Amino acid sequence: IYGLRNTVVGGYGTVRPASWLNLTGGVDYLNPAIDAFSEDDSLLRVFSPSDAPGVLVQPDFYRYTATIDVNTRNPRGNPRRGGQYALRYQRYDDTGRDLFSFDRVDIDLQQYVPLVRDRRVLALRARAIMTDPDSGAEVPFYFQPTLGGPDDLRGFRHFRFRDRNTLLFQAEYRWEIFTAVDGALFYDIGKVAPRRQDFHLSEFERDFGIGFRFGTANGVFLRIEGAFGSAGGAHFILRFGHVF
């Protein structure tokens, strides 16, 4: 068990050449620090330094970010058609001895297919996070992407899976029950891996479930779901805001 404190100081700027296109860039200074809750629960009792890179030392970082975001969702807060396609590149520069410098690429693709006069929707999502450490460097375990929790692999607890790379696919069939209440059937599959070539569809974790969303065209303010069929057992979710 550990805690992560991370002081972040920086700035970002966004340019909108069109109503559907955002271009964002920025730079941050990061000061991460690991706190063990007790000596008995120390990470080193469970993981070796090679299994949890960065557990012994946490350098400061400069993080440089560039994002392209194409957003044609309609309506934006509770989409019934269109899509959102985002690509983000981040460079983490270790200000110490360059032991933990790495690149990170996030790809998030969402598509909404309207059915029956927008009263039913097929919502699809594909998300990939890939990290590439510099030669001789590692990606700190506390900056590695994770899967698990109410917004991705809903059949598992928060942060259940962690590694250098993640792949996630989600599908939902949503229908309007009556004004301000929608139902949804969903299916999630995902996996983490140290290398891109280690992704094999037969090894992906899976879950499925049913949910109810309360809100308007401007957004979902409450989401209640049950996720089943995973190795993590049944999970019941009460969450403010949409899943995607």
Side-chain angles (χ1 to χ4, degrees):
I1 298 175
Y2 74 96
L4 173 64
R5 293 181 290 108
N6 188 18
T7 302
V8 181
V9 179
Y12 287 80
T14 299
V15 176
R16 181 174 291 178
S19 61
W20 47 268
L21 176 62
N22 288 330
L23 305 175
T24 301
V27 59
D28 297 314
Y29 185 79
L30 311 179
N31 177 232
I34 297 296
D35 291 327
F37 291 156
S38 73
E39 191 66 27
D40 290 338
D41 291 329
S42 172
L43 280 172
L44 293 176
R45 294 176 62 88
V46 181
F47 300 105
S48 69
S50 61
D51 293 327
V55 67
L56 295 179
V57 59
Q58 296 88 51
D60 294 349
F61 292 85
Y62 285 110
R63 178 175 63 186
Y64 307 94
T65 301
T67 303
I68 301 174
D69 186 356
V70 176
N71 192 345
T72 63
R73 296 178 301 168
N74 184 35
R76 292 287 178 91
N78 192 1
R80 303 288 176 171
R81 59 178 62 240
Q84 184 171 21
Y85 324 101
L87 172 65
R88 173 178 295 171
Y89 166 78
Q90 293 181 311
R91 170 66 184 176
Y92 287 75
D93 272 339
D94 174 355
T95 64
R97 292 174 287 179
D98 290 328
L99 297 176
F100 300 105
S101 295
F102 66 97
D103 298 316
R104 169 171 167 153
V105 176
D106 296 49
I107 302 171
D108 195 344
L109 308 176
Q110 303 172 21
Q111 186 66 48
Y112 304 88
V113 181
L115 305 169
V116 192
R117 300 187 303 277
D118 291 358
R119 296 176 66 88
R120 302 173 187 268
V121 180
L122 181 62
L124 305 171
R125 184 189 195 191
R127 194 186 75 191
I129 303 176
M130 306 293 173
T131 63
D132 280 308
D134 290 359
S135 178
E138 293 280 356
V139 180
F141 81 94
Y142 48 86
F143 283 156
Q144 291 176 358
T146 65
L147 283 179
D151 296 323
D152 42 64
L153 282 180
R154 285 167 273 191
F156 296 88
R157 58 177 173 80
H158 268 293
F159 316 125
R160 172 60 181 83
F161 305 101
R162 180 192 304 268
D163 216 314
R164 288 183 179 179
N165 307 289
T166 69
L167 271 180
L168 172 71
F169 300 97
Q170 296 176 282
E172 293 199 349
Y173 175 69
R174 303 170 181 172
W175 72 95
E176 182 180 312
I177 299 175
F178 49 82
T179 302
V181 180
D182 287 350
L185 299 174
F186 63 83
Y187 186 69
D188 308 318
I189 66 171
K191 179 177 171 57
V192 303
R195 304 177 303 167
R196 294 174 181 80
Q197 56 265 41
D198 293 331
F199 287 111
H200 304 290
L201 188 59
S202 61
E203 299 174 355
F204 276 52
E205 300 290 346
R206 293 167 165 80
D207 64 59
F208 60 85
I210 186 171
F212 300 93
R213 286 80 186 272
F214 302 85
T216 67
N218 296 321
V220 171
F221 65 84
L222 180 62
R223 174 162 54 98
I224 301 173
E225 294 173 331
F228 311 95
S230 75
H235 285 249
F236 296 93
I237 297 164
L238 177 64
R239 190 81 163 171
F240 297 103
H242 225 324
V243 59
F244 68 92

